[in-house]
Amino acid sequence: MLLMSSETAKAAKDQEWAHLISLTAQGDQAALATFYDRTSPQVFGLVLKILDNREAAEEVTLDVYTQVWRQAHTYDETRGAPGAWLMTLARTRAIDRFRAGAAEHGRIESLDAAELFASNDDTPEQDVEGQERRRYVQQALAVLTAEQRQAIALAYFYGLSQSEIAEKLQLPLGTVKTRIRLGMMKLREALAPYEAGLTP
């Protein structure tokens, strides 16, 4: 009886995850957020085991869900369980990172808030470039929810830790982490077309 209950629970979980992936493929950001909440502990655990570096594992975990967002349409339910598909993505990205020898670098690329918003430009040409960079970032920030913008602003513009943000906003730490990570995913997507303009 216990075995049957376990199998039933797994089938229900697989069905839910497959449905969330399907919604994500249609551009449903809320579905991606739910999928992240349901599965990120397992993904992070696997990546951390491979990299043995917490900061790098957090970054790779974010990259995994960026890849889920972009490639959800490639998931085929008839070829395997959604959890197996997700963990394959995670294992591949973690191994690639390990081989690249960058496991010790836990850094966030694509958005250096201090550089983008603080301008010490000396010439009119540099001032124009700074204004363009700020405009690109402001347009990208507009795609975020108000909650995501608030969390990212506190983290990257005011330098608060995720724990400090959770305390300030009176939210669970997991909620703050989710808002920041999903917000960063959307920012990377939105800023991708402007990378040339963001290069000083």
Side-chain angles (χ1 to χ4, degrees):
M1 189 71 181
L2 185 60
L3 180 61
M4 183 65 72
S5 297
S6 176
E7 288 178 353
T8 303
K10 183 181 184 308
K13 180 187 73 175
D14 285 349
Q15 186 176 10
E16 181 200 18
W17 289 6
H19 181 59
L20 290 171
I21 293 172
S22 175
L23 291 175
T24 299
Q26 299 169 35
D28 188 333
Q29 294 172 352
L32 177 64
T34 300
F35 188 58
Y36 175 91
D37 288 338
R38 298 276 197 278
T39 60
S40 59
Q42 297 96 306
V43 169
F44 178 76
L46 174 65
V47 173
L48 181 61
K49 184 180 294 187
I50 293 171
L51 297 179
D52 194 28
N53 180 293
R54 191 169 191 86
E55 289 182 342
E58 288 179 351
E59 184 177 342
V60 170
T61 298
L62 171 62
D63 289 340
V64 169
Y65 288 93
T66 301
Q67 187 173 356
V68 169
W69 175 251
R70 291 174 175 166
Q71 298 183 359
H73 65 280
T74 68
Y75 170 64
D76 183 353
E77 199 170 347
T78 64
R79 298 181 62 182
W85 176 77
L86 177 64
M87 298 309 272
T88 298
L89 294 182
R91 186 178 297 106
T92 300
R93 292 203 75 93
I95 291 172
D96 286 347
R97 177 64 178 266
F98 182 79
R99 285 175 177 164
E104 74 279 6
H105 288 153
R107 66 186 184 281
I108 293 177
E109 300 170 357
S110 301
L111 181 68
D112 184 341
E115 266 191 35
L116 293 171
F117 281 89
S119 176
N120 295 317
D121 299 323
D122 298 319
T123 68
E125 292 82 5
Q126 288 173 326
D127 187 52
V128 169
E129 289 173 2
Q131 289 174 9
E132 287 179 350
R133 287 198 296 274
R134 284 192 289 274
R135 180 167 56 82
Y136 291 148
V137 175
Q138 287 164 357
Q139 289 174 352
L141 287 170
V143 308
L144 306 184
T145 65
E147 292 82 5
Q148 288 167 345
R149 276 197 302 275
Q150 181 185 45
I152 286 176
L154 290 172
Y156 296 103
F157 306 156
Y158 296 96
L160 297 186
S161 70
Q162 293 178 341
S163 298
E164 289 169 336
I165 295 170
E167 184 178 346
K168 180 178 180 64
L169 300 180
Q170 297 185 324
L171 291 170
L173 181 58
T175 300
V176 170
K177 288 183 175 181
T178 297
R179 288 180 182 178
I180 290 175
R181 287 175 178 166
L182 291 178
M184 289 300 295
M185 285 167 60
K186 286 200 276 186
L187 279 176
R188 286 181 178 183
E189 288 284 329
L191 287 172
Y194 305 120
E195 278 187 346
L198 287 171
T199 303

